[in-house]
Amino acid sequence: MRMRVWYGLSLWLTGLTFVRPVAAQVIAEQAVAGKAVAVPQPPLIPHRQWQATPPLGHAVDAARRNIAAGDSLVFRGLTVAVLGTATGGPASAGTDTVRLQLTLGRPRDVRTAGEGSAFNWQGFHVVVAIYGPGELGAGLVALEVATVASLPASVAASPVAGGADLRLRIPHRITHVTLHHTGDARPLLPGDDAAQRLRNLQAWGARERTWWDVPDHFLFGLEGTVYEGRDWRFMSETNTTSDPSGHFLISMIGNDDVLQPTPAQFDAIADLMAWAIRTHGLTVDAIGGHYHDASTGGPGSYLRP
């Protein structure tokens, strides 16, 4: 028996509830209550069609977090605690530093690490970035911790963080579908080149943050065009203390504090979210905005209740 199954995806956005039907055509002998039905992936622009450079980085066994003094990152029994930071001065040759306490069962060590440094300890590789005054995430320490055994030899032996080519792709399991915006100073306007915005974001991230690709998994243009971002199998990036692990991060290109999204963008958001929650076995309860997990205005005032 041929049947058309419609899924209504209710999203609380701009203070209103709207429903975008998503159709899936299935063929079955009979309707089975509770039967999982596939939701098609929306059409998208592949990464290779807009990129200036292909994604970089290495898929390894690792974790990454931005943390403040007094907080810690825990990974495979290792605890790395940030005891405090110091702004570069004459004594440190102008380099910002952080005091870290590393604990792995009984072994414990306290060491000072400089901005952009990397070191190995007890089978782990630790990479340090310090966000100073005037930078996004000022006051936070970005820590990347990996098992040495999972790293390419060149990365494991490096005493410095290096550029985007040395960054780590961190696998994760999707548990949330999260909406954000790129937060550009200038909104995306009709006639603007969305693909160029993505190339600019990719270049900025590699240069200023050493990100191996754009931070988001999928991004939306004004006409509802969906652009493929970083591989969703790997964790996204953030300038906040939120933990992006598990988040399927989708983002509006531009600034939704300034310009209201178009109807086509709303439709595209709903279609992509419907596909994501069905693909990853989630429910609509997994949908949220970036502000649910971080002290941030994202995804912009027009996309918040």
Side-chain angles (χ1 to χ4, degrees), residues 56 131 136 162-165 167 197-215 230 237 239:
L56 302 171
Y131 300 146
L136 286 172
D165 57 319
R167 290 288 57 74
R197 289 286 189 100
L198 292 181
R199 288 188 286 272
N200 293 344
L201 176 60
Q202 186 186 41
W204 177 87
R207 181 180 65 252
E208 301 295 334
R209 284 295 198 257
T210 68
W211 292 343
W212 57 268
D213 198 5
V214 293
R230 77 165 49 195
E237 305 283 359
N239 294 309

mmCIF file of all heavy atoms in Angstrom, residues 56 131 136 162-165 167 197-215 230 237 239:
data_model
loop_
_atom_site.group_PDB
_atom_site.id
_atom_site.type_symbol
_atom_site.label_atom_id
_atom_site.label_comp_id
_atom_site.label_asym_id
_atom_site.label_seq_id
_atom_site.Cartn_x
_atom_site.Cartn_y
_atom_site.Cartn_z
ATOM 1 N N LEU A 56 41.128 20.605 6.636
ATOM 2 C CA LEU A 56 42.424 20.112 7.086
ATOM 3 C C LEU A 56 42.239 19.223 8.316
ATOM 4 O O LEU A 56 41.167 18.700 8.545
ATOM 5 C CB LEU A 56 43.338 21.304 7.385
ATOM 6 C CG LEU A 56 43.581 22.268 6.216
ATOM 7 C CD1 LEU A 56 44.314 23.517 6.688
ATOM 8 C CD2 LEU A 56 44.359 21.568 5.105
ATOM 9 N N TYR A 131 43.376 32.992 24.953
ATOM 10 C CA TYR A 131 42.714 34.140 24.346
ATOM 11 C C TYR A 131 42.890 35.354 25.255
ATOM 12 O O TYR A 131 42.372 35.401 26.368
ATOM 13 C CB TYR A 131 41.238 33.849 24.122
ATOM 14 C CG TYR A 131 40.998 32.655 23.208
ATOM 15 C CD1 TYR A 131 39.919 31.801 23.395
ATOM 16 C CD2 TYR A 131 41.875 32.381 22.153
ATOM 17 C CE1 TYR A 131 39.703 30.720 22.554
ATOM 18 C CE2 TYR A 131 41.673 31.300 21.310
ATOM 19 C CZ TYR A 131 40.577 30.470 21.519
ATOM 20 O OH TYR A 131 40.374 29.392 20.692
ATOM 21 N N LEU A 136 38.174 37.414 20.809
ATOM 22 C CA LEU A 136 36.979 36.636 21.104
ATOM 23 C C LEU A 136 37.343 35.561 22.118
ATOM 24 O O LEU A 136 38.362 34.891 21.992
ATOM 25 C CB LEU A 136 36.431 35.985 19.832
ATOM 26 C CG LEU A 136 35.713 36.893 18.844
ATOM 27 C CD1 LEU A 136 35.402 36.129 17.552
ATOM 28 C CD2 LEU A 136 34.429 37.436 19.455
ATOM 29 N N GLY A 162 50.984 24.797 16.217
ATOM 30 C CA GLY A 162 51.002 24.843 14.771
ATOM 31 C C GLY A 162 49.734 25.458 14.203
ATOM 32 O O GLY A 162 48.915 26.033 14.920
ATOM 33 N N GLY A 163 49.565 25.336 12.889
ATOM 34 C CA GLY A 163 48.428 25.931 12.229
ATOM 35 C C GLY A 163 47.267 24.977 12.082
ATOM 36 O O GLY A 163 47.205 23.919 12.721
ATOM 37 N N ALA A 164 46.320 25.346 11.211
ATOM 38 C CA ALA A 164 45.115 24.549 11.020
ATOM 39 C C ALA A 164 45.436 23.136 10.536
ATOM 40 O O ALA A 164 44.669 22.205 10.786
ATOM 41 C CB ALA A 164 44.189 25.257 10.032
ATOM 42 N N ASP A 165 46.567 22.963 9.865
ATOM 43 C CA ASP A 165 46.924 21.639 9.353
ATOM 44 C C ASP A 165 47.273 20.661 10.469
ATOM 45 O O ASP A 165 47.253 19.441 10.254
ATOM 46 C CB ASP A 165 48.106 21.742 8.383
ATOM 47 C CG ASP A 165 49.321 22.395 9.021
ATOM 48 O OD1 ASP A 165 49.144 23.387 9.763
ATOM 49 O OD2 ASP A 165 50.448 21.924 8.770
ATOM 50 N N ARG A 167 45.561 20.732 13.456
ATOM 51 C CA ARG A 167 44.416 20.608 14.344
ATOM 52 C C ARG A 167 43.813 19.206 14.288
ATOM 53 O O ARG A 167 43.991 18.457 13.346
ATOM 54 C CB ARG A 167 43.341 21.625 14.000
ATOM 55 C CG ARG A 167 43.681 23.041 14.323
ATOM 56 C CD ARG A 167 43.680 23.407 15.815
ATOM 57 N NE ARG A 167 44.555 22.608 16.653
ATOM 58 C CZ ARG A 167 45.876 22.723 16.679
ATOM 59 N NH1 ARG A 167 46.474 23.607 15.924
ATOM 60 N NH2 ARG A 167 46.589 21.966 17.467
ATOM 61 N N ARG A 197 31.257 34.570 1.613
ATOM 62 C CA ARG A 197 31.216 34.708 3.072
ATOM 63 C C ARG A 197 31.785 33.452 3.734
ATOM 64 O O ARG A 197 32.520 33.538 4.729
ATOM 65 C CB ARG A 197 29.778 34.939 3.547
ATOM 66 C CG ARG A 197 29.183 36.291 3.215
ATOM 67 C CD ARG A 197 29.751 37.398 4.099
ATOM 68 N NE ARG A 197 29.025 38.634 3.911
ATOM 69 C CZ ARG A 197 28.076 39.090 4.721
ATOM 70 N NH1 ARG A 197 27.744 38.427 5.806
ATOM 71 N NH2 ARG A 197 27.464 40.235 4.455
ATOM 72 N N LEU A 198 31.445 32.303 3.195
ATOM 73 C CA LEU A 198 31.950 31.054 3.761
ATOM 74 C C LEU A 198 33.456 30.927 3.569
ATOM 75 O O LEU A 198 34.167 30.483 4.482
ATOM 76 C CB LEU A 198 31.246 29.862 3.130
ATOM 77 C CG LEU A 198 29.762 29.694 3.462
ATOM 78 C CD1 LEU A 198 29.214 28.446 2.791
ATOM 79 C CD2 LEU A 198 29.540 29.621 4.959
ATOM 80 N N ARG A 199 33.932 31.326 2.412
ATOM 81 C CA ARG A 199 35.380 31.281 2.183
ATOM 82 C C ARG A 199 36.103 32.231 3.139
ATOM 83 O O ARG A 199 37.180 31.906 3.656
ATOM 84 C CB ARG A 199 35.701 31.617 0.726
ATOM 85 C CG ARG A 199 35.325 30.505 -0.250
ATOM 86 C CD ARG A 199 35.836 30.778 -1.647
ATOM 87 N NE ARG A 199 35.071 31.824 -2.318
ATOM 88 C CZ ARG A 199 33.969 31.612 -3.037
ATOM 89 N NH1 ARG A 199 33.480 30.385 -3.161
ATOM 90 N NH2 ARG A 199 33.354 32.614 -3.641
ATOM 91 N N ASN A 200 35.502 33.403 3.370
ATOM 92 C CA ASN A 200 36.096 34.350 4.328
ATOM 93 C C ASN A 200 36.120 33.764 5.731
ATOM 94 O O ASN A 200 37.103 33.916 6.465
ATOM 95 C CB ASN A 200 35.311 35.660 4.324
ATOM 96 C CG ASN A 200 35.423 36.422 3.018
ATOM 97 O OD1 ASN A 200 36.299 36.149 2.194
ATOM 98 N ND2 ASN A 200 34.535 37.381 2.800
ATOM 99 N N LEU A 201 35.015 33.102 6.115
ATOM 100 C CA LEU A 201 34.935 32.493 7.450
ATOM 101 C C LEU A 201 35.962 31.382 7.588
ATOM 102 O O LEU A 201 36.641 31.268 8.620
ATOM 103 C CB LEU A 201 33.528 31.946 7.684
ATOM 104 C CG LEU A 201 33.288 31.189 8.996
ATOM 105 C CD1 LEU A 201 33.569 32.080 10.205
ATOM 106 C CD2 LEU A 201 31.860 30.644 9.047
ATOM 107 N N GLN A 202 36.109 30.568 6.553
ATOM 108 C CA GLN A 202 37.083 29.483 6.587
ATOM 109 C C GLN A 202 38.503 30.033 6.727
ATOM 110 O O GLN A 202 39.302 29.532 7.538
ATOM 111 C CB GLN A 202 36.962 28.634 5.326
ATOM 112 C CG GLN A 202 37.843 27.384 5.340
ATOM 113 C CD GLN A 202 37.799 26.647 4.017
ATOM 114 O OE1 GLN A 202 37.813 27.249 2.946
ATOM 115 N NE2 GLN A 202 37.739 25.322 4.082
ATOM 116 N N ALA A 203 38.811 31.097 5.972
ATOM 117 C CA ALA A 203 40.155 31.692 6.018
ATOM 118 C C ALA A 203 40.409 32.343 7.372
ATOM 119 O O ALA A 203 41.512 32.207 7.940
ATOM 120 C CB ALA A 203 40.316 32.708 4.897
ATOM 121 N N TRP A 204 39.413 33.065 7.904
ATOM 122 C CA TRP A 204 39.572 33.707 9.219
ATOM 123 C C TRP A 204 39.784 32.662 10.307
ATOM 124 O O TRP A 204 40.656 32.812 11.168
ATOM 125 C CB TRP A 204 38.347 34.557 9.541
ATOM 126 C CG TRP A 204 38.407 35.179 10.904
ATOM 127 C CD1 TRP A 204 38.976 36.368 11.245
ATOM 128 C CD2 TRP A 204 37.901 34.614 12.129
ATOM 129 N NE1 TRP A 204 38.856 36.593 12.603
ATOM 130 C CE2 TRP A 204 38.197 35.531 13.166
ATOM 131 C CE3 TRP A 204 37.215 33.450 12.448
ATOM 132 C CZ2 TRP A 204 37.835 35.303 14.493
ATOM 133 C CZ3 TRP A 204 36.860 33.210 13.776
ATOM 134 C CH2 TRP A 204 37.165 34.136 14.775
ATOM 135 N N GLY A 205 38.983 31.590 10.277
ATOM 136 C CA GLY A 205 39.107 30.552 11.290
ATOM 137 C C GLY A 205 40.474 29.885 11.273
ATOM 138 O O GLY A 205 41.056 29.603 12.319
ATOM 139 N N ALA A 206 40.992 29.630 10.073
ATOM 140 C CA ALA A 206 42.315 29.008 9.967
ATOM 141 C C ALA A 206 43.414 29.950 10.442
ATOM 142 O O ALA A 206 44.358 29.532 11.120
ATOM 143 C CB ALA A 206 42.571 28.584 8.524
ATOM 144 N N ARG A 207 43.266 31.249 10.116
ATOM 145 C CA ARG A 207 44.305 32.231 10.442
ATOM 146 C C ARG A 207 44.277 32.645 11.919
ATOM 147 O O ARG A 207 45.321 32.685 12.586
ATOM 148 C CB ARG A 207 44.109 33.459 9.555
ATOM 149 C CG ARG A 207 45.158 34.555 9.771
ATOM 150 C CD ARG A 207 44.890 35.736 8.870
ATOM 151 N NE ARG A 207 43.635 36.425 9.177
ATOM 152 C CZ ARG A 207 42.532 36.386 8.437
ATOM 153 N NH1 ARG A 207 42.509 35.692 7.289
ATOM 154 N NH2 ARG A 207 41.439 37.035 8.791
ATOM 155 N N GLU A 208 43.092 32.951 12.435
ATOM 156 C CA GLU A 208 42.982 33.509 13.779
ATOM 157 C C GLU A 208 42.731 32.471 14.864
ATOM 158 O O GLU A 208 43.023 32.708 16.024
ATOM 159 C CB GLU A 208 41.846 34.544 13.803
ATOM 160 C CG GLU A 208 42.037 35.696 12.828
ATOM 161 C CD GLU A 208 43.232 36.561 13.176
ATOM 162 O OE1 GLU A 208 43.606 36.609 14.374
ATOM 163 O OE2 GLU A 208 43.788 37.187 12.261
ATOM 164 N N ARG A 209 42.133 31.322 14.485
ATOM 165 C CA ARG A 209 41.775 30.306 15.475
ATOM 166 C C ARG A 209 42.411 28.949 15.191
ATOM 167 O O ARG A 209 42.236 28.009 15.963
ATOM 168 C CB ARG A 209 40.253 30.143 15.516
ATOM 169 C CG ARG A 209 39.519 31.275 16.259
ATOM 170 C CD ARG A 209 39.932 31.236 17.722
ATOM 171 N NE ARG A 209 39.034 31.944 18.590
ATOM 172 C CZ ARG A 209 39.267 33.150 19.099
ATOM 173 N NH1 ARG A 209 40.352 33.802 18.741
ATOM 174 N NH2 ARG A 209 38.429 33.713 19.943
ATOM 175 N N THR A 210 43.131 28.833 14.081
ATOM 176 C CA THR A 210 43.693 27.567 13.604
ATOM 177 C C THR A 210 42.624 26.477 13.527
ATOM 178 O O THR A 210 42.920 25.302 13.769
ATOM 179 C CB THR A 210 44.899 27.085 14.466
ATOM 180 O OG1 THR A 210 44.461 26.709 15.779
ATOM 181 C CG2 THR A 210 45.970 28.146 14.553
ATOM 182 N N TRP A 211 41.386 26.835 13.164
ATOM 183 C CA TRP A 211 40.344 25.842 12.939
ATOM 184 C C TRP A 211 40.619 25.098 11.643
ATOM 185 O O TRP A 211 41.053 25.694 10.658
ATOM 186 C CB TRP A 211 38.978 26.517 12.854
ATOM 187 C CG TRP A 211 38.502 27.112 14.149
ATOM 188 C CD1 TRP A 211 38.966 26.842 15.402
ATOM 189 C CD2 TRP A 211 37.453 28.076 14.313
ATOM 190 N NE1 TRP A 211 38.276 27.573 16.340
ATOM 191 C CE2 TRP A 211 37.335 28.341 15.699
ATOM 192 C CE3 TRP A 211 36.609 28.732 13.420
ATOM 193 C CZ2 TRP A 211 36.408 29.241 16.207
ATOM 194 C CZ3 TRP A 211 35.684 29.630 13.920
ATOM 195 C CH2 TRP A 211 35.579 29.872 15.306
ATOM 196 N N TRP A 212 40.327 23.820 11.624
ATOM 197 C CA TRP A 212 40.612 23.025 10.426
ATOM 198 C C TRP A 212 39.547 23.200 9.343
ATOM 199 O O TRP A 212 39.739 22.769 8.204
ATOM 200 C CB TRP A 212 40.810 21.559 10.779
ATOM 201 C CG TRP A 212 39.678 20.874 11.498
ATOM 202 C CD1 TRP A 212 39.515 20.761 12.856
ATOM 203 C CD2 TRP A 212 38.577 20.189 10.900
ATOM 204 N NE1 TRP A 212 38.372 20.047 13.140
ATOM 205 C CE2 TRP A 212 37.784 19.681 11.959
ATOM 206 C CE3 TRP A 212 38.187 19.929 9.592
ATOM 207 C CZ2 TRP A 212 36.622 18.930 11.744
ATOM 208 C CZ3 TRP A 212 37.021 19.201 9.367
ATOM 209 C CH2 TRP A 212 36.254 18.713 10.430
ATOM 210 N N ASP A 213 38.443 23.841 9.661
ATOM 211 C CA ASP A 213 37.399 24.136 8.680
ATOM 212 C C ASP A 213 36.462 25.168 9.291
ATOM 213 O O ASP A 213 36.653 25.592 10.443
ATOM 214 C CB ASP A 213 36.636 22.858 8.309
ATOM 215 C CG ASP A 213 35.853 22.985 6.999
ATOM 216 O OD1 ASP A 213 35.978 24.033 6.330
ATOM 217 O OD2 ASP A 213 35.130 22.044 6.646
ATOM 218 N N VAL A 214 35.430 25.568 8.553
ATOM 219 C CA VAL A 214 34.412 26.443 9.138
ATOM 220 C C VAL A 214 33.865 25.753 10.384
ATOM 221 O O VAL A 214 33.870 24.516 10.480
ATOM 222 C CB VAL A 214 33.276 26.748 8.131
ATOM 223 C CG1 VAL A 214 33.789 27.597 6.984
ATOM 224 C CG2 VAL A 214 32.628 25.467 7.620
ATOM 225 N N PRO A 215 33.375 26.510 11.366
ATOM 226 C CA PRO A 215 32.993 25.888 12.635
ATOM 227 C C PRO A 215 31.678 25.136 12.616
ATOM 228 O O PRO A 215 31.435 24.304 13.495
ATOM 229 C CB PRO A 215 32.914 27.085 13.591
ATOM 230 C CG PRO A 215 32.581 28.242 12.708
ATOM 231 C CD PRO A 215 33.302 27.978 11.423
ATOM 232 N N ARG A 230 31.600 21.908 7.904
ATOM 233 C CA ARG A 230 32.507 20.850 8.344
ATOM 234 C C ARG A 230 31.743 19.534 8.486
ATOM 235 O O ARG A 230 30.544 19.503 8.736
ATOM 236 C CB ARG A 230 33.228 21.223 9.628
ATOM 237 C CG ARG A 230 32.439 21.108 10.905
ATOM 238 C CD ARG A 230 33.337 21.155 12.140
ATOM 239 N NE ARG A 230 34.279 22.258 12.094
ATOM 240 C CZ ARG A 230 35.341 22.351 12.887
ATOM 241 N NH1 ARG A 230 35.593 21.412 13.785
ATOM 242 N NH2 ARG A 230 36.159 23.381 12.810
ATOM 243 N N GLU A 237 33.141 24.049 16.477
ATOM 244 C CA GLU A 237 33.986 24.968 17.256
ATOM 245 C C GLU A 237 33.113 26.004 17.964
ATOM 246 O O GLU A 237 31.959 26.236 17.590
ATOM 247 C CB GLU A 237 34.961 25.703 16.330
ATOM 248 C CG GLU A 237 35.827 24.816 15.479
ATOM 249 C CD GLU A 237 36.981 24.189 16.234
ATOM 250 O OE1 GLU A 237 37.129 24.462 17.440
ATOM 251 O OE2 GLU A 237 37.742 23.433 15.600
ATOM 252 N N ASN A 239 33.531 29.933 20.450
ATOM 253 C CA ASN A 239 34.350 30.934 21.144
ATOM 254 C C ASN A 239 33.924 31.078 22.602
ATOM 255 O O ASN A 239 34.374 31.992 23.285
ATOM 256 C CB ASN A 239 34.218 32.289 20.434
ATOM 257 C CG ASN A 239 34.821 32.265 19.041
ATOM 258 O OD1 ASN A 239 35.956 31.857 18.851
ATOM 259 N ND2 ASN A 239 34.048 32.700 18.057
#
